[in-house]
C-alpha cells in the first residue's frame, strides 16, 4: 500500500515486504515512482442514440505519460478509445445491448487505462443516457413561408 503524503512524480526508496496472513517472508528496498491519480473530469455528451455510433469525449486530469490502452465502459459494454496528449479520450458509443439496460436507459459510464501493464479504473463514473431514435410519421402542414414561424403538427 502506498503511504500518504508523498509527492507525485517523485521516486522514493521504499521498503517492500512479502507476506501472507501476517507472516512476513522477506523484505527489501526498491525504487518506486508515485504518479498522481488520473481523474475523470467530464464526459460530453452524456446522452446518445440507443443504436450507438456517436462518440463521447472523456476529459481526464493528471494523465501519466505511460498511460495506454484506454477504454470507456457503458454498463458492461467495452469501447476502445483514443487518448490525446491533452488528456481527452474519445470513445465510440456502443449500441444499447446489455440486458440490464434494455428497460433502463441510463448506464454508468467509466474509463479504464493501463499504466505500465496494470489496469487503472479512473474515477468517478458518470451517467450516460441512451435515447431511442424518434420516428416521424406525419407533418401537417407540409409547407410554410420562407420567413419561418409556421406551426406544424408532428406525429
Amino acid at each position: 500500500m502506498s503511504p500518504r503524503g508523498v509527492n507525485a512524480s517523485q521516486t522514493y526508496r521504499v521498503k517492500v515486504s512479502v507476506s501472507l496472513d501476517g507472516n512476513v517472508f522477506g523484505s527489501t528496498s526498491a525504487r518506486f515512482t508515485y504518479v498522481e491519480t488520473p481523474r475523470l473530469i467530464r464526459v460530453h455528451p452524456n446522452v446518445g442514440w440507443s443504436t450507438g455510433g456517436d462518440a463521447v469525449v472523456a476529459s481526464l486530469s493528471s494523465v501519466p505519460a505511460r498511460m495506454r490502452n484506454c477504454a470507456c465502459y457503458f454498463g458492461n459494454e467495452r469501447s476502445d478509445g483514443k487518448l490525446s496528449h491533452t488528456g481527452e479520450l474519445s470513445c465510440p458509443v456502443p449500441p444499447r445491448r446489455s440486458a440490464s439496460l434494455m428497460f433502463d436507459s441510463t448506464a454508468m459510464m467509466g474509463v479504464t487505462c493501463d499504466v505500465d501493464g496494470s489496469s487503472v479504473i479512473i474515477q468517478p463514473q458518470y451517467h450516460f443516457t441512451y435515447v431511442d431514435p424518434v420516428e416521424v410519421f406525419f407533418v401537417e402542414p407540409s409547407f410554410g413561408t420562407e420567413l419561418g414561424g409556421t406551426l406544424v403538427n408532428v406525429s
Side-chain angles (χ1 to χ4, degrees):
M1 179 174 276
S2 302
R4 297 204 181 275
V6 297
N7 292 326
S9 301
Q10 297 290 320
T11 300
Y12 295 89
R13 205 90 175 117
V14 295
K15 182 178 179 181
V16 178
S17 299
V18 178
S19 64
L20 177 64
D21 295 329
N23 297 316
V24 177
F25 294 102
S27 64
T28 188
S29 67
R31 294 175 62 78
F32 190 84
T33 302
Y34 293 92
V35 295
E36 193 172 346
T37 305
R39 293 208 35 89
L40 182 56
I41 301 170
R42 183 184 137 187
V43 173
H44 184 77
N46 61 356
V47 175
W49 298 120
S50 60
T51 54
D54 294 324
V56 298
V57 175
S59 300
L60 308 174
S61 70
S62 307
V63 176
R66 299 180 313 273
M67 198 153 76
R68 303 279 186 272
N69 303 324
C70 295
C72 297
Y73 280 86
F74 298 81
N76 294 326
E77 298 288 332
R78 179 186 168 102
S79 175
D80 292 331
K82 292 186 181 183
L83 182 64
S84 74
H85 69 281
T86 60
E88 302 264 305
L89 175 64
S90 178
C91 295
V93 177
R96 181 179 59 194
R97 279 191 275 258
S98 177
S100 65
L101 296 177
M102 293 312 282
F103 300 106
D104 180 8
S105 62
T106 301
M108 289 307 292
M109 190 254 166
V111 173
T112 64
C113 295
D114 292 340
V115 179
D116 293 338
S118 296
S119 183
V120 175
I121 298 171
I122 299 173
Q123 297 293 335
Q125 293 185 337
Y126 280 74
H127 290 277
F128 183 86
T129 303
Y130 281 101
V131 179
D132 289 327
V134 176
E135 292 184 51
V136 175
F137 297 104
F138 185 73
V139 176
E140 181 184 47
S142 60
F143 60 90
T145 70
E146 62 192 31
L147 299 175
T150 302
L151 294 177
V152 296
N153 292 318
V154 179
S155 58

